[in-house]
Amino acid sequence: MGLGLAAAALAGVLAGCGGGNGGGEGRGDTTTSAPPERTTEAGVTRVNADMTDFRITLSEKTFKAGDHTFVAKNNGKHDHALEIEGPSGEHRTKTLAPGASETLRVTLKSGTHEVYCPVGGHEDLGMKMEITVGGGDAPVNETPSRNNGY
């Protein structure tokens, strides 16, 4: 009986790690919760998105077309969310309470994308930037915060 329970527990863990149905190719709109320490699968670029009051900092500075996993972590004192909008479509996390995180899977296409917080005017307070996705070194164009960190 103990072996059967262990097998059932292992099956549950493996099912939870499976992640997708394989049918979402090109959609890039899969949203799942995961701790920031989680590694991504082969061929997927992991990008940590640190959200504070009122700034977004990305761990990557250059982006190439392909699959990316954005790990959005709210390190601020206010609710935040991460939205990526551009040639790849519109992708958004749920609104995250302080300390919460969520993983957002996006298949980035070449071109310029807006990355911002869509919560209550936070974009206007400096929580926005542009990323350029291409084949070479495409820089992140951060918009300086106009509120001096408040």
Side-chain angles (χ1 to χ4, degrees):
M1 182 158 117
L3 184 58
L5 288 175
L10 179 60
V13 168
L14 292 175
C17 293
N21 62 9
E25 184 176 320
R27 288 183 33 177
D29 58 359
T30 303
T31 304
T32 57
S33 294
E37 303 82 40
R38 183 176 173 189
T39 59
T40 56
E41 65 230 52
V44 178
T45 301
R46 177 190 168 116
V47 181
N48 293 324
D50 179 38
M51 298 180 294
T52 56
D53 308 322
F54 290 91
R55 184 176 185 84
I56 299 172
T57 305
L58 301 179
S59 62
E60 298 295 317
K61 300 297 181 198
T62 60
F63 294 86
K64 292 185 180 181
D67 292 332
H68 292 71
T69 298
F70 288 83
V71 181
K73 173 119 171 119
N74 183 354
N75 289 315
K77 293 182 170 68
H78 302 282
D79 289 352
H80 296 298
L82 184 72
E83 185 155 340
I84 302 168
E85 187 176 333
S88 306
E90 195 170 330
H91 310 277
R92 183 186 191 277
T93 65
K94 66 183 179 192
T95 300
L96 302 171
S101 64
E102 184 174 339
T103 301
L104 182 66
R105 174 82 176 259
V106 180
T107 301
L108 292 176
K109 296 179 181 177
S110 293
T112 301
H113 295 70
E114 299 286 329
V115 179
Y116 61 95
C117 176
V119 176
H122 292 183
E123 180 180 7
D124 292 334
L125 294 172
M127 291 190 76
K128 63 181 174 182
M129 67 177 61
E130 287 184 349
I131 60 172
T132 303
V133 179
D137 291 338
V140 172
N141 300 314
E142 293 189 35
T143 303
S145 177
R146 287 176 257 160
N147 62 359
N148 296 325
Y150 297 102

